[in-house]
Amino acid sequence: MTFQQDSEPYDAYDVLVFGGTGVDTVVPVGALPVPLADSHPVAPIREWAGHTGTGVALGCAALGLATGLLDFIGDDHPGGLVRERLAGTGVDFRPLISPHGTRRAVNLVSPDGRRMSFHDARDPRELRMPAEHYLPALRRARHVHLSITHFARFVYDDIEALGLPVSTDLHDWDGLTEHHREFALRSDLVFLSTAGAGERIGSVMRDILRQGRAEAVIATAGAGGAYLLTPDDRTPRLVPAVVPPGPVVDSNGAGDAFTCGFLYGRLAGRPLEECARLGAVAGAHACTAPGTHTALVGPDDLRGVVADTRVVAPTLTARVVEPPPGLPEPPEAQVSPAGA
């Protein structure tokens, strides 16, 4: 394992991201689930540098936040795609080269923008990032975001010793899988989707607050909006989805964009509910272009967000998601013109 450094480090980072780079192979399919067959003709298959850490880093940098990204990649073609995508974006990317190669995923994407991902994490459990690589960057960070790669969990002690706020995204955690638990209980802001826990999502959110250190838990529900729970809430608060600025094409990266919008608001000192609203706008924006992390929201796109109370119209969404039992019902959608 060798370290390759391309530039001088930033003086300070608004957001320092650990882990979560990789390459997505995006396969357009006619519908999800895919019918059982020996083969299916599809539109052109594309490769994109993606994954959650890449998305959060790119999204934060596009919002004008000084952003660092630390991770392992391979000395391989996918690793080259990651480097190429991050070059010139404002992200201070400092990779270590791993002999195990760059992470991959194959994402099936249906015409309505939904996706199913097959993730090849490939990192061995014994992989660790040396402290001499990450500590200098950590000491210059205002906020840390940890992807749920295994090696990132071993940074928590140093984060706590420095008194830094930390966020994580558990993705479709069911509330049971042990891999995610430490991330859930040791982070100040915890993002996840409603997909994994289903009807138990409200209980999972409450357990994270009760057992961990989180000041807020945010569960995204795609076109159904998102849910925000803080220690002051008895039940999760609904944050409505918003009208995308164009037709929904591909939902890859929407959750990462939501996280970026939320962190942008939080680092500016905005209330949690306003942060979630900013996240909803960023997530909707990400769905309007094919591929992963190709439509990045900018600061101008978020101006006036809180004053704009439009919610998503069913005719413009990939699908309308019913809230799990025990969560607030979405408000009746207000129909807006396409592209509004």
Side-chain angles (χ1 to χ4, degrees):
M1 179 170 58
T2 58
F3 171 50
Q4 294 187 1
Q5 180 170 306
D6 297 327
S7 61
E8 290 301 314
Y10 287 14
D11 291 334
Y13 301 109
D14 294 311
V15 179
L16 180 63
V17 181
F18 277 79
T21 63
V23 168
D24 291 331
T25 299
V26 179
V27 183
V29 296
L32 287 174
V34 177
L36 183 63
D38 182 65
S39 65
H40 289 278
V42 298
I45 296 170
R46 301 286 301 275
E47 275 191 324
W48 312 82
H51 294 213
T52 183
T54 307
V56 173
L58 286 170
C60 287
L63 286 168
L65 300 173
T67 305
L69 174 58
L70 303 176
D71 200 8
F72 293 93
I73 60 172
D75 185 14
D76 50 22
H77 172 67
L81 292 178
V82 173
R83 286 183 180 275
E84 181 181 342
R85 178 65 183 91
L86 291 165
T89 63
V91 176
D92 186 24
F93 182 39
R94 300 190 159 268
L96 290 170
I97 301 302
S98 169
H100 307 286
T102 305
R103 301 176 203 95
R104 303 293 303 270
V106 175
N107 299 333
L108 309 184
V109 179
S110 62
D112 61 7
R114 290 184 298 150
R115 68 146 193 183
M116 175 179 288
S117 181
F118 300 85
H119 185 229
D120 170 12
R122 77 175 50 219
D123 294 339
R125 288 187 63 82
E126 63 271 16
L127 186 67
R128 300 287 186 275
M129 182 169 283
E132 61 268 24
H133 182 60
Y134 70 79
L135 274 178
L138 197 61
R139 293 188 180 112
R140 299 193 302 276
R142 291 178 59 200
H143 181 93
V144 182
H145 182 81
L146 296 186
S147 305
I148 55 171
T149 49
H150 183 66
F151 76 83
R153 72 175 68 249
F154 300 100
V155 183
Y156 271 113
D157 288 344
D158 291 309
I159 292 171
E160 291 178 7
L162 291 168
L164 297 172
V166 58
S167 57
T168 194
D169 188 342
L170 308 178
H171 303 286
D172 59 347
W173 189 41
D174 59 5
L176 304 172
T177 308
E178 282 300 318
H179 173 82
H180 302 66
R181 190 170 305 280
E182 183 173 12
F183 293 93
L185 302 185
R186 299 187 71 179
S187 297
D188 301 288
L189 296 173
V190 178
F191 299 90
L192 74 165
S193 77
T194 61
E199 295 183 358
R200 296 182 294 102
I201 187 63
S203 175
V204 170
M205 294 172 75
R206 285 187 288 272
D207 285 345
I208 292 171
L209 278 181
R210 186 176 66 253
Q211 299 174 26
R213 57 177 283 177
E215 64 170 336
V217 181
I218 307 95
T220 56
Y227 299 93
L228 170 67
L229 186 66
T230 75
D232 296 329
D233 299 319
R234 296 188 63 182
T235 59
R237 285 178 266 168
L238 175 68
V239 180
V242 300
V243 177
V248 172
V249 176
D250 189 340
S251 61
N252 279 299
D256 301 324
F258 185 104
T259 296
C260 295
F262 194 104
L263 294 180
Y264 176 76
R266 199 59 181 154
L267 287 165
R270 300 179 77 165
L272 290 167
E273 192 154 357
E274 291 187 16
C275 295
R277 177 70 173 168
L278 292 167
V281 172
H285 193 280
C287 295
T288 60
T292 312
H293 316 314
T294 55
L296 300 174
V297 73
D300 289 345
D301 300 307
L302 299 183
R303 289 199 171 93
V305 163
V306 177
D308 182 357
T309 57
R310 292 173 300 162
V311 297
V312 72
T315 54
L316 297 177
T317 63
R319 55 184 174 135
V320 176
V321 180
E322 295 297 326
L327 293 183
E329 293 283 343
E332 183 178 353
Q334 303 169 8
V335 178
S336 300

